[in-house]
Amino acid sequence: MNPRTLLPSKLAKSALLLVGLTVVGCEEPGGLQLAVIGNLAVVPVFQSSAAGIVDVGFLRISLTRLDSVTVALDTTIGIAEGQDSLDVTLSVPLNTPPTEDFYLELRLMDAAGDTVFRGGPAVVTASTSGTELSPTTVEIVYVGVGADAAQVRVISTDVVVQFADSALLEAVALDSAGDAIEGTPIRWSSTDTGRAVFPQDDVGTLVAGNVAGPASVVAELLTGQADTSAVLVIRRVTDLVSDAIDSLEAALFSAISNPLDLSNLDLFSFQPARDLFQQAFAGDPDNQTAGFGLAVTTILALEDDPMLRAAAEDWDRWLETHNDVGEITGGSGDFPPTLDEQQNLLRNIVQPALVEALAAVSSVDSLEFTFTITPEMQGELPGAADPRELDLTEVIGFRAALEAAIAGIDIALAYQTVPSPYGVSGFDAALSPGSSFGTLAADGTTLLADAQARLLSAVALAQQALDFLEGETDDQSDDVIKYDPGAPSGYVDFDDFLGPTDVQDIRDVLADVDGALQGPHTVSEDFGRGVVSLVIDASQFFLNPIVDLKALAPAYETMNGEFHWSALAFDEWTFPDPTFGGILPGIPTSDFLKATIDLEGLYQDGRFDIDEWVALTRSPSDGDVFAITELGNLRELSADLASDEDRPDILSEPFVSFPVALTSVELSELVGLGYDGLVWTRPDDIGSAWTQRFTLPFGCCWTGITESPFGGSLFAITEGGDLHEIASDYSASFDRPDVFYSVEAFAANAQTSELLALSYDGLVFARPGDATTQWTQRFTLPFVDYYNRWVGLTQGPVDGDVFAITRGGDLYELASDFSSSSDRPDVPASNVVTLTSNAVTGELLALTGDGRVFSRQDDASSPWTLQFTLPRAIIP
């Protein structure tokens, strides 16, 4: 008989070989013989990514007698390529007719003769009776390369395939130790053949269909282990980018053309544009427009984040029911997100988005790259605005900004905040000395190191952007950032052209930042009084982090939701570490640090949480002295400076029109001047209130007022030197010649009938008190640094000489003809705010911001004596 043995295709999935074995016997010359007849389903061996195609080339059949020693039959049958069946006729002699049992073994071998599948031994019975026996099933197991694999893993992840494109996927078989077993056969299949198919399932080449979306692919071993992974099938990248730009344009138009308000956020969304750009970029990472668009929309789409929006809405509701953010420390109720919650938003939402955006935009490096900002993207209707062109200059600048922003968040996360809600108790607990607020976080050192690296990268990228800008040769008129080698310096407006001087100014700043980030670096700046230099080593902040930021501050306390310095004046500050952890290595003392941080004179009044004393004048009728604070609190000191009494205050809203100068009109009134030009007067008595008498033209800022050297009228001057004369009846004011310099102090000299003005750096100007004569520079006092600048000027109480004083108390006497000056004893205190004289007592008087009144005789050598200390009041 010629039975047919079935050989399924080599792509069969089953790992079992089913052998239906029917034995028929007959008697022939030479003895009994057994014909082994059956249907043999042969399991294939197929191609893996590493080993090439391994086909089943041979079927070996063995029959062994039950003594397990004697081989009754051992034959090998070739299997041709593509063959799906075998005609097999086998015979074997029987030792114990009419039946005998045998062990049957089957081997499927490759072309090299190596066994790849094995079946048996299984017991089969042969009979010569012609009786058809039950079929025997033999289990076939894979024994080839990788038969001992513990698992299979798909190593091609995040695969994106465009319509009709192909992608080669890879998988690897692993042993129990996790090592790869090369050459192990792997079969590939797809669970969604509409999106992806494997034309040959022994090869990992996937072909995408025309249905967008995810498809699961399965890699399976012959021993049954499998791993599933996902691929994303997308539309053609060019189509995705086009649709993404249209979506971005529509969202930007809606966002810009509608008022910026939380209630309008639902009118637009950048998420659809981002999704399209993201698919396009995943499908083609070399598509520069997709990379740039993904970066921009990743940031813009933060407005869609529900947690960020909820936090913004919480703040919006708070501000609707509270006048200002300051109420958050002393108020109560349903507070907005805590600082700790806001840190978490930065850590978990904002910073990852910035990092993702940076990775996407970093792919844009083509010198030919451009992106058109259409009129609609500018919030205009088509044709209502000119398109703008964005090129590699803006892209590199964008990268620099992202690096700097990520670094900023690193810094914000490097130090701990507190989860406590706001309000009085929360504020006091957070800022109290010894709290965890402002201390280095567990990962703070790592975050700060990353911040330094990113800031250095930002500087390098900014320099690179400038290089590209200066090298541009295309038409600049429609560029977002425009450059013209012939443009004048002083870039101001969006449509201005940057010139070489502007670019160099930016490079100088970048060089300072780069130097300071890497080590000690000298930064120089001209503040209008000469160049000031400062050594900065910002690398110390990042590489040797400060453990507790609070510990660097001068002594302070928190009480009932308010913050107060322990020192009531700037002069009294003491810094535990004036170098701030080595960041300012050239600052040896607290005083040096205070002089350095007050470069612009922001703290010239020396006041911190106190109502600063700002002006001093002699009484218009007797030897008493009047002093006034910034908030208008008036005190009268006795002629012997032994006591003082409260007098009616100037009732001015704090910090709206606070007094800056005080003078007196002989035998008549006290006169006060506000920084914005309000003029008040009151009689020299005990109880009369102040009356607002005049308003000078608004200027920034009125700084001095004095009686005319001719008597009657008043003169007032601004810091910028603008001079006005006020009629004696306060009915009008008249513009007079200006001092073309900044003015710190102002006085009149009755001896010479002149007005005198003093600049911070010691220039003395004079003019008669008439209508037209110009100011003349008459003298230059010794130069002092700005922190210790000249602040006071008065006529001496004895003769026509003039005295000038610095903030640090350095006193000089000028000859009446301004031919010379002589050093005089210094006030033993800093923060001197004004100087005056008292002809009744023949003394000079100096006032400090914290209310100390010093006096000395108008001679050459008498020292200053602290005569009185005015009360100090905490500003509520």
Side-chain angles (χ1 to χ4, degrees):
M1 300 180 65
N2 292 317
R4 185 175 182 81
T5 300
L6 300 180
L7 297 175
S9 75
K10 66 180 180 178
L11 299 181
K13 180 177 180 180
S14 175
L16 297 178
L17 174 64
L18 302 179
V19 178
L21 179 63
T22 301
V23 179
V24 179
C26 60
E27 186 175 352
E28 296 183 1
L32 296 175
Q33 296 200 350
L34 172 68
V36 180
I37 307 166
N39 296 324
L40 303 181
V42 182
V43 176
V45 178
F46 44 85
Q47 182 183 26
S48 71
S49 59
I53 296 177
V54 179
D55 284 320
V56 175
F58 302 95
L59 171 64
R60 182 178 177 181
I61 303 174
S62 299
L63 288 175
T64 305
R65 302 188 191 277
L66 293 185
D67 60 14
S68 300
V69 175
T70 306
V71 176
L73 175 68
D74 189 353
T75 185
T76 300
I77 303 170
I79 303 173
E81 182 177 357
Q83 186 175 3
D84 62 1
S85 64
L86 287 175
D87 291 329
V88 179
T89 301
L90 300 174
S91 62
V92 62
L94 300 182
N95 286 344
T96 59
T99 64
E100 186 173 350
D101 292 336
F102 295 90
Y103 289 123
L104 170 66
E105 289 187 83
L106 301 176
R107 297 180 181 87
L108 291 170
M109 299 179 294
D110 59 19
D114 295 325
T115 300
V116 291
F117 288 91
R118 180 189 298 274
V123 176
V124 295
T125 302
S127 171
T128 60
S129 64
T131 303
E132 186 173 320
L133 302 177
S134 299
T136 299
T137 298
V138 180
E139 181 178 358
I140 296 296
V141 295
Y142 177 70
V143 295
V145 177
D148 58 346
Q151 62 177 310
V152 62
R153 181 181 301 160
V154 178
I155 58 177
S156 299
T157 59
D158 301 323
V159 177
V160 180
V161 194
Q162 299 181 54
F163 284 0
D165 278 358
S166 62
L168 178 62
L169 275 62
E170 293 184 88
V172 61
L174 303 173
D175 62 19
S176 59
D179 297 326
I181 306 175
E182 300 294 336
T184 301
I186 298 173
R187 176 181 183 274
W188 294 91
S189 62
S190 168
T191 61
D192 190 340
T193 56
R195 290 194 173 104
V197 296
F198 291 92
Q200 294 180 265
D201 61 1
D202 58 339
V203 180
T205 300
L206 172 148
V207 177
N210 60 357
V211 179
S216 293
V217 295
V218 180
E220 186 179 4
L221 302 181
L222 296 181
T223 49
Q225 297 92 333
D227 187 29
T228 301
S229 183
V231 299
L232 180 64
V233 178
I234 64 171
R235 297 161 48 208
R236 306 298 297 183
V237 166
T238 52
D239 296 335
L240 289 169
V241 169
S242 177
D243 289 352
I245 292 174
D246 290 344
S247 179
L248 173 61
E249 182 180 71
L252 282 172
F253 178 81
S254 179
I256 297 173
S257 58
N258 285 288
L260 183 59
D261 188 279
L262 287 176
S263 62
N264 288 332
L265 292 181
D266 290 332
L267 299 178
F268 57 89
S269 173
F270 295 100
Q271 191 62 45
R274 182 186 181 278
D275 291 342
L276 292 168
F277 277 126
Q278 187 176 43
Q279 290 184 50
F281 186 63
D284 182 7
D286 294 327
N287 189 296
Q288 310 253 301
T289 302
F292 176 75
L294 176 59
V296 171
T297 53
T298 294
I299 296 174
L300 293 176
L302 286 173
E303 62 88 18
D304 283 314
D305 187 274
M307 295 185 69
L308 290 179
R309 190 177 289 193
E313 289 171 350
D314 283 347
W315 274 107
D316 193 49
R317 283 192 296 269
W318 170 266
L319 294 175
E320 284 178 356
T321 56
H322 297 80
N323 292 330
D324 58 61
V325 179
E327 292 185 35
I328 204 166
T329 62
S332 61
D334 186 14
F335 290 111
T338 66
L339 292 176
D340 191 59
E341 290 170 335
Q342 292 179 78
Q343 265 193 328
N344 288 332
L345 294 176
L346 291 175
R347 179 185 293 107
N348 300 323
I349 299 174
V350 179
Q351 192 176 57
L354 298 182
V355 171
E356 183 179 352
L358 178 61
V361 77
S362 295
S363 68
V364 183
D365 56 8
S366 171
L367 298 178
E368 306 303 320
F369 173 80
T370 60
F371 186 90
T372 300
I373 303 176
T374 65
E376 293 92 329
M377 292 180 184
Q378 303 171 45
E380 302 287 349
L381 294 173
D386 294 328
R388 296 280 185 178
E389 184 179 272
L390 183 150
D391 56 27
L392 202 56
T393 294
E394 289 80 15
V395 170
I396 300 173
F398 183 29
R399 288 173 57 193
L402 286 171
E403 289 278 23
I406 296 168
I409 295 178
D410 276 340
I411 295 171
L413 298 178
Y415 285 89
Q416 295 187 74
T417 57
V418 290
S420 305
Y422 303 101
V424 174
S425 60
F427 179 82
D428 291 347
L431 290 184
S432 61
S435 74
S436 62
F437 181 82
T439 60
L440 192 66
D443 59 347
T445 300
T446 301
L447 288 170
L448 290 175
D450 181 69
Q452 183 199 31
R454 288 189 180 279
L455 289 173
L456 288 170
S457 175
V459 170
L461 286 167
Q463 292 280 20
Q464 183 182 343
L466 294 175
D467 292 341
F468 186 81
L469 176 67
E470 290 184 307
E472 289 189 49
T473 58
D474 64 324
D475 179 17
Q476 296 284 293
S477 61
D478 62 347
D479 281 16
V480 173
I481 301 177
K482 300 182 280 291
Y483 179 74
D484 180 1
S489 62
Y491 177 88
V492 176
D493 188 75
F494 178 74
D495 286 320
D496 280 356
F497 282 77
L498 285 171
T501 303
D502 299 312
V503 172
Q504 188 57 51
D505 288 344
I506 299 172
R507 289 191 188 276
D508 290 343
V509 172
L510 293 173
D512 282 339
V513 174
D514 184 74
L517 283 169
Q518 300 197 59
H521 179 77
T522 301
V523 177
S524 299
E525 184 64 44
D526 188 348
F527 289 90
R529 63 185 186 284
V531 175
V532 176
S533 297
L534 182 66
V535 178
I536 301 175
D537 185 1
S539 68
Q540 294 298 312
F541 175 75
F542 298 101
L543 302 180
N544 297 297
I546 299 164
V547 176
D548 186 354
L549 296 176
K550 302 189 303 301
L552 297 178
Y556 69 88
E557 62 180 4
T558 59
M559 184 183 304
N560 298 324
E562 295 181 355
F563 177 92
H564 296 292
W565 298 111
S566 298
L568 296 183
F570 186 62
D571 297 337
E572 298 172 6
W573 272 18
T574 300
F575 291 86
D577 177 10
T579 72
F580 282 84
I583 298 172
L584 302 175
I587 305 295
T589 65
S590 289
D591 286 341
F592 199 111
L593 177 60
K594 286 184 286 188
T596 301
I597 64 178
D598 198 18
L599 293 175
E600 293 287 359
L602 298 177
Y603 310 120
Q604 59 183 327
D605 57 7
R607 175 191 55 77
F608 282 93
D609 298 326
I610 66 170
D611 186 6
E612 185 84 359
W613 294 95
V614 294
L616 185 75
T617 191
R618 62 183 174 82
S619 166
S621 59
D622 53 31
D624 289 350
V625 175
F626 284 91
I628 197 166
T629 69
E630 189 173 39
L631 298 188
N633 182 24
L634 184 70
R635 308 287 295 194
E636 183 172 0
L637 289 82
S638 61
D640 60 2
L641 302 180
S643 62
D644 73 321
E645 294 182 1
D646 196 14
R647 296 290 179 254
D649 298 343
I650 294 179
L651 299 177
S652 170
E653 184 178 350
F655 305 109
V656 174
S657 182
F658 51 81
V660 293
L662 187 68
T663 190
S664 63
V665 180
E666 191 67 31
L667 302 176
S668 178
E669 293 182 306
L670 293 172
V671 181
L673 174 66
Y675 91 100
D676 58 354
L678 297 187
V679 178
W680 298 272
T681 68
R682 71 175 294 273
D684 181 8
D685 58 17
I686 295 177
S688 296
W690 289 91
T691 301
Q692 183 181 330
R693 299 293 293 277
F694 194 75
T695 303
L696 289 159
F698 181 77
C700 191
C701 299
W702 294 94
T703 189
I705 190 166
T706 189
E707 187 177 9
S708 168
F710 302 132
S713 62
L714 292 166
F715 282 89
I717 201 166
T718 68
E719 288 180 357
D722 187 18
L723 182 69
H724 273 249
E725 183 173 2
I726 305 171
S728 58
D729 61 357
Y730 302 102
S731 60
S733 67
F734 312 95
D735 197 12
R736 295 293 180 250
D738 297 343
V739 179
F740 294 105
Y741 212 79
S742 62
V743 175
E744 285 284 329
F746 185 50
N749 189 337
Q751 182 79 14
T752 62
S753 297
E754 288 182 307
L755 295 170
L756 303 178
L758 175 66
S759 71
Y760 73 89
D761 53 357
L763 302 185
V764 180
F765 301 87
R767 70 175 294 271
D770 58 15
T772 59
T773 303
Q774 299 296 313
W775 289 88
T776 302
Q777 183 182 335
R778 302 291 292 277
F779 196 77
T780 302
L781 288 159
F783 178 78
V784 291
D785 65 77
Y786 190 65
Y787 178 72
N788 193 39
R789 61 197 175 278
W790 295 94
V791 295
L793 185 72
T794 191
Q795 183 182 10
V798 176
D799 53 30
D801 287 353
V802 174
F803 285 87
I805 199 165
T806 69
R807 186 177 184 276
D810 191 15
L811 181 71
Y812 270 73
E813 183 174 359
L814 289 79
S816 58
D817 61 358
F818 299 106
S819 60
S820 63
S821 67
S822 302
D823 196 10
R824 294 290 180 253
D826 298 344
V827 176
S830 60
N831 192 25
V832 174
V833 294
T834 191
L835 180 72
T836 192
S837 61
N838 192 334
V840 175
T841 62
E843 290 182 312
L844 293 171
L845 302 176
L847 174 68
T848 64
D850 56 359
R852 288 171 286 175
V853 181
F854 295 84
S855 69
R856 69 177 295 272
Q857 292 296 314
D858 181 4
D859 57 19
S861 59
S862 294
W864 290 92
T865 301
L866 176 59
Q867 296 284 3
F868 195 78
T869 300
L870 290 158
R872 291 190 289 182
I874 297 292
I875 297 175

